[in-house]
DNA sequence: CGGAGTTTTGACCTATCTCAAATGTTGTGG
DNA sequence: CCACAACATTTGAGATAGGTCAAAACTCCG
């Protein structure tokens, strides 16, 4: 299945899986579905029966507050897995909602455990992906807790760019994202109005540009410098193999 | 070993492990160490050879910025595991530093994988703990991104109380924590001066109290109401068993 | 007693928020 | 192909939460 390329890109740098592993992985996928923008893929408080591999498209993972505000916890991009912990928890704490058309590979949540038993190398890769997710959450905490709005925004945009990059997207100095200012503000913990002003500032410095429905990073070098971006937390070769008896 | 009680408390509600499992778990611990306050347990950028079970004492997990500021990502309490992902990653992205004397149970990072193979129920519990960690990180993002200082602080304090509670601590309406204002401010993403003002405000309303080196929650009900605290993300019985073939 | 770390204070500054309204944009049905 | 609704962006003005600076006071140890 060619559409698995984001995963292939992401994983091949680990130099861990052979073609048998890939075959096994593909056999796990029982079906693929197409989802429109604006659909709930995981809904907070619900039992989740599927795990989804994101083959294409974007989503956001967020929590909604008592007062209706929301905070986006992370973006979900091609090559990510949605609901990896769902076999373990009775219900989800957050909501995952598509922000573009998506193609998802599904497999039943109750087979994750057997995968861990039967395909240890594959399990290891899944655990590594969960660990990367956790690193990204931690960086989001730092970003929101200790960076001022302009750096905060620049930092997030670069993270998204790098993550797409790793999965084989964004050839040129560009990210193409269906992200509007509301989404950005909910991810950054800012009001949408301030988000707009900050974004405008980046635009005025020719760092970013915006076309209808998409967002381009024009000057990645300057943006990275502005954001003090240190990519180590996204390192696609960070898997530790030496100590693993496989 | 009696000192494992925080883990026993935390896990027994899952009603998953039998005494064999517990015996196996204890056999994994090769040694215990005592660590003073102010020591690095995990240092960012280093290879990590051990996984630690926190038997007593407190630590903070944080990242340091270019400008020297830091952001605490999570508190580490008895019943938590430090470095669960270390067998998987070459080096750590964050630092874990003790903030009180701690007792830690150690086991070699390279045995985690074999544990997953040989003790599936145990592995499941570990995965559940990793999932809880992730939920807590997500809540920290929401707290910092979308709550104003007073609610933010109240929310964090209650989280800490609840987490201790689950592990068998804090009988009375009280938390006892070696947390000073600097630590709090680095966890909340506030300046230490503002943290002081906010804390004082809570004190004036008789919600919290402070004795040298420790911090007491006096009126948990009002504090919870103020913080809009919803404990579901800490639910100690959230494990999903039905679909697990074990 | 001295020094390091922590807490407290006050004054002032500014980043960010809120409110409210105008302006654009996009997709839909007639 | 227009008109309208729904949604997204933009603007300005005024309010405020929270930051910064600098210094004093307190606490804890050795």
């Amino acid at each position: 299945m060619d559409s698995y390329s984001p995963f292939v890109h992401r994983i091949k740098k680990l130099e861990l899986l052979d073609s048998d592993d890939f075959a096994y992985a593909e056999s796990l996928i029982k079906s693929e579905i197409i989802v429109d923008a604006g659909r709930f893929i995981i809904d907070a408080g619900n039992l989740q029966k599927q795990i989804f591999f994101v083959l294409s498209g974007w989503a956001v993972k967020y929590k909604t507050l008592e007062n209706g505000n929301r905070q986006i916890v992370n973006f979900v991009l091609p090559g990510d897995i949605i609901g990896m912990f769902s076999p373990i928890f009775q219900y989800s704490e957050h909501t995952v909602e598509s922000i573009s058309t998506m193609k998802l590979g599904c497999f039943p949540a109750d087979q994750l455990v057997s995968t861990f038993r039967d395909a240890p190398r594959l399990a290891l890769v899944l655990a590594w992906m969960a660990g990367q997710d956790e690193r990204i959450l931690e960086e989001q905490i730092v970003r929101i807790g200790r960076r001022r709005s302009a750096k905060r925004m620049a930092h997030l945009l670069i993270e998204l760019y790098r993550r797409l990059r790793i999965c084989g997207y964004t050839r040129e100095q560009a990210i193409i994202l269906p992200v509007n200012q509301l989404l950005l503000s909910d991810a950054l913990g800012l009001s949408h109005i301030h988000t707009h002003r900050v974004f405008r500032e980046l635009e005025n410095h020719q760092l970013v540009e915006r076309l209808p429905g998409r967002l381009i990073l024009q000057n990645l070098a300057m943006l990275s410098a502005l954001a003090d971006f240190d990519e180590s937390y996204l390192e696609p070769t960070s898997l530790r193999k030496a100590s693993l008896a496989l």
Side-chain angles (χ1 to χ4, degrees), chain A:
Chain A
M1 286 187 253
D2 204 24
S3 51
Y4 283 82
S5 76
F7 286 93
V8 173
H9 271 95
R10 194 172 167 192
I11 285 168
K12 72 181 176 199
K13 302 214 182 65
L14 301 180
E15 298 175 350
L16 182 71
L17 301 187
D18 57 28
S19 53
D20 283 354
D21 294 315
F22 278 113
Y24 187 99
E26 289 196 1
S27 75
L28 291 172
I29 304 298
K30 302 306 183 205
S31 63
E32 291 182 6
I33 59 174
I34 303 285
V35 176
D36 288 342
R39 287 289 143 73
F40 297 121
I41 298 166
I42 288 189
D43 211 352
N46 277 356
L47 181 74
Q48 197 55 30
K49 293 178 214 69
Q50 308 265 312
I51 293 174
F52 299 103
F53 287 75
V54 180
L55 306 177
S56 71
W58 295 265
V60 288
K61 182 161 86 180
Y62 63 85
K63 294 188 80 164
T64 306
L65 302 218
E66 322 69 39
N67 60 22
N69 281 163
R70 69 175 189 173
Q71 174 65 45
I72 292 176
V73 148
N74 196 2
F75 285 86
V76 180
L77 306 181
D80 286 337
I81 292 177
I82 297 175
M84 184 139 34
F85 282 107
S86 62
I88 291 184
F89 288 100
Q90 290 180 25
Y91 48 82
S92 172
E93 275 296 310
H94 53 242
T95 303
V96 178
E97 183 180 337
S98 56
I99 57 175
S100 76
T101 299
M102 302 183 82
K103 182 151 73 156
L104 303 174
C106 326
F107 91 99
D110 48 13
Q111 284 183 22
L112 187 70
V113 174
S114 57
T115 301
F116 266 75
R117 191 179 49 228
D118 303 337
R121 280 202 297 274
L122 212 51
L124 189 61
V125 168
L126 291 175
W128 173 80
M129 289 176 90
Q132 284 234 323
D133 248 45
E134 181 155 326
R135 288 176 163 207
I136 290 171
L137 291 186
E138 290 183 357
E139 196 60 43
Q140 165 81 331
I141 291 170
V142 174
R143 191 157 47 213
I144 296 182
R146 286 291 183 224
R147 292 187 202 277
R148 292 309 181 69
S149 53
K151 286 185 180 235
R152 197 187 298 180
M153 183 179 292
H155 196 280
L156 174 63
L157 294 177
I158 295 170
E159 175 184 301
L160 293 173
Y161 167 77
R162 297 264 188 198
R163 286 172 61 188
L164 286 175
R165 192 81 209 275
I166 286 167
C167 293
Y169 292 79
T170 70
R171 304 120 201 94
E172 331 89 47
Q173 296 282 82
I175 194 181
I176 293 176
L177 263 194
V179 168
N180 62 27
Q181 294 184 18
L182 250 215
L183 246 12
L184 265 186
S185 69
D186 282 339
L188 296 171
L190 299 170
S191 72
H192 74 284
I193 292 175
H194 197 62
T195 301
H196 168 249
R197 290 194 268 248
V198 171
F199 190 85
R200 170 60 61 87
E201 207 185 301
L202 297 185
E203 263 179 341
N204 289 343
H205 289 282
Q206 326 274 318
L207 298 175
V208 300
E209 190 193 348
R210 194 162 196 332
L211 303 179
R214 38 199 54 183
L215 189 161
I216 317 270
L217 309 192
Q218 290 181 283
N219 191 331
L220 206 53
M222 286 188 64
L223 211 54
S224 297
L226 167 63
D228 295 314
F229 194 86
D230 171 355
E231 74 277 10
S232 61
Y233 73 104
L234 295 175
E235 191 50 65
T237 59
S238 56
L239 182 68
R240 171 173 165 186
K241 276 166 291 190
S243 62
L244 302 169
L246 287 175

